[in-house]
Amino acid sequence: IDETGAPMTVASAREYLYKRIRRAKGPVWLRSEWPFEISPIIPWTEACQAVIELPKDAGVFLNGEELYLNVKERVLDRCMMPVNLPRLLLGTNTLAIEGEYNDAWAFESPWVRGEFRVATDDNARFVMEFDSGPIAVGAWPEHGMPFYFGSVLYVAETEAEAFRPGERVMLNMSGLVGAASVRVNGSAAGEIWRRPYRCELTKWWKRGRVLLEIEVANTLRNFLGPHFAQGGRNQTSFTRSDYEGALGAPRSFEACGLLGSPFVSIESDS
């Protein structure tokens, strides 16, 4: 928020901070407040952390209570520090960060990590919800994981029939958006990261019970942005406006994960 109490975008706050630093010809003190919501209708039992690029002599507060800072731990890069968030409230919570800034580019939005998903009707307002269990086949943003980066493990169990000599067992994953590692009964069977998104399983595919595990990983695109680009997956260059949308503007996310169900086929060269 600015001096009048009006909310600001991160880009506007950074510009405001830059002007203050120039006028002061040195570091300036700034307090920022970041409200976020937890659904009041779904039981909430998860522990979460905020990850913050802290200013000098920082203080961090959750709903008015000062939090302990572990100055030794870092996440993603050496500037980002995780801070435990105890006693989260159902409804609106407010994270406040204060301290001295000598560089406006050090002012970044904090992010919250934990075992939860988010709900949204407009891709502009997001509400944290308790993680309700396994994720189904489909784009991760459509399953409450629009900002998520990392991996998801898909597991299937089946009874395999015998195949004849000369036949090959192939895993087909045309619905993959990302990269995948494949295991059969615990043994690494291959990695898939480019078209035609297929993997041969013949060596590991035996008659009887088969446990197939597919671990899919995405990129940092949906986490770091740009969240306001309109060019789709084929866009390869971005402008400042692609990263800095207007206050309340909807964000765009790339589909990632397993968009369609994989299947196993028995094939022969003849």
Side-chain angles (χ1 to χ4, degrees), residues 135-143 145 152 154 172-180 195 197 214 216-218 222 233 253-263:
I135 183 171
V137 169
W140 294 352
E142 297 173 4
H143 288 289
M145 301 165 62
V152 170
Y154 298 86
N172 303 270
M173 298 178 59
S174 60
L176 173 66
V177 180
R195 296 185 187 280
Y197 302 127
I214 303 171
V216 177
N218 67 343
N222 283 346
R233 292 185 60 86
F253 302 97
E254 284 191 350
C256 55
L258 276 179
L259 308 193
S261 297
F263 65 93

Side-chain angles (χ1 to χ4, degrees), residues 58 77 111 217 237 258:
D77 70 32
W111 43 283
S237 61
L258 276 179

Side-chain angles (χ1 to χ4, degrees), residues 10 13 46 57 69 112 126-127 154 202 218 246:
V10 173
E46 296 300 316
D57 298 327
L69 304 181
V112 179
F126 301 89
V127 178
Y154 298 86
T202 308
N218 67 343

Side-chain angles (χ1 to χ4, degrees), residues 42-219:
I42 297 180
W44 184 265
T45 60
E46 296 300 316
C48 293
Q49 290 182 321
V51 181
I52 308 167
E53 183 166 352
L54 292 175
K56 182 180 178 182
D57 298 327
V60 178
F61 304 82
L62 176 65
N63 301 322
E65 180 180 345
E66 188 166 11
L67 302 180
Y68 169 75
L69 304 181
N70 181 357
V71 297
K72 295 183 179 180
E73 190 176 357
R74 293 293 185 270
V75 173
L76 202 59
D77 70 32
R78 62 184 180 85
C79 297
M80 307 300 290
M81 177 187 296
V83 179
N84 292 329
L85 300 179
R87 294 180 290 280
L88 289 168
L89 306 176
L90 299 182
T92 300
N93 294 262
T94 300
L95 182 70
I97 305 167
E98 61 183 30
E100 279 194 354
Y101 290 87
N102 193 44
D103 181 359
W105 288 103
F107 182 82
E108 294 284 354
S109 171
W111 43 283
V112 179
R113 68 174 185 173
E115 298 293 329
F116 61 88
R117 301 185 190 177
V118 297
T120 180
D121 294 324
D122 54 9
N123 277 352
R125 176 178 174 267
F126 301 89
V127 178
M128 296 165 58
E129 293 183 343
F130 178 67
D131 188 352
S132 56
I135 183 171
V137 169
W140 294 352
E142 297 173 4
H143 288 289
M145 301 165 62
F147 298 98
Y148 178 74
F149 71 93
S151 64
V152 170
L153 181 64
Y154 298 86
V155 180
E157 190 171 356
T158 187
E159 288 291 325
E161 299 293 334
F163 55 91
R164 294 188 293 270
E167 292 182 327
R168 294 176 296 154
V169 181
M170 301 297 299
L171 174 65
N172 303 270
M173 298 178 59
S174 60
L176 173 66
V177 180
S181 60
V182 180
R183 295 187 293 274
V184 178
N185 290 334
S187 297
E191 297 180 345
I192 306 173
W193 54 274
R194 62 181 179 179
R195 296 185 187 280
Y197 302 127
R198 284 158 55 89
C199 178
E200 184 171 356
L201 306 181
T202 308
K203 178 180 176 181
W204 301 273
W205 200 263
K206 308 298 181 184
R207 184 177 181 180
R209 173 188 172 274
V210 172
L211 178 66
L212 179 63
E213 298 174 290
I214 303 171
E215 187 169 3
V216 177
N218 67 343
T219 69

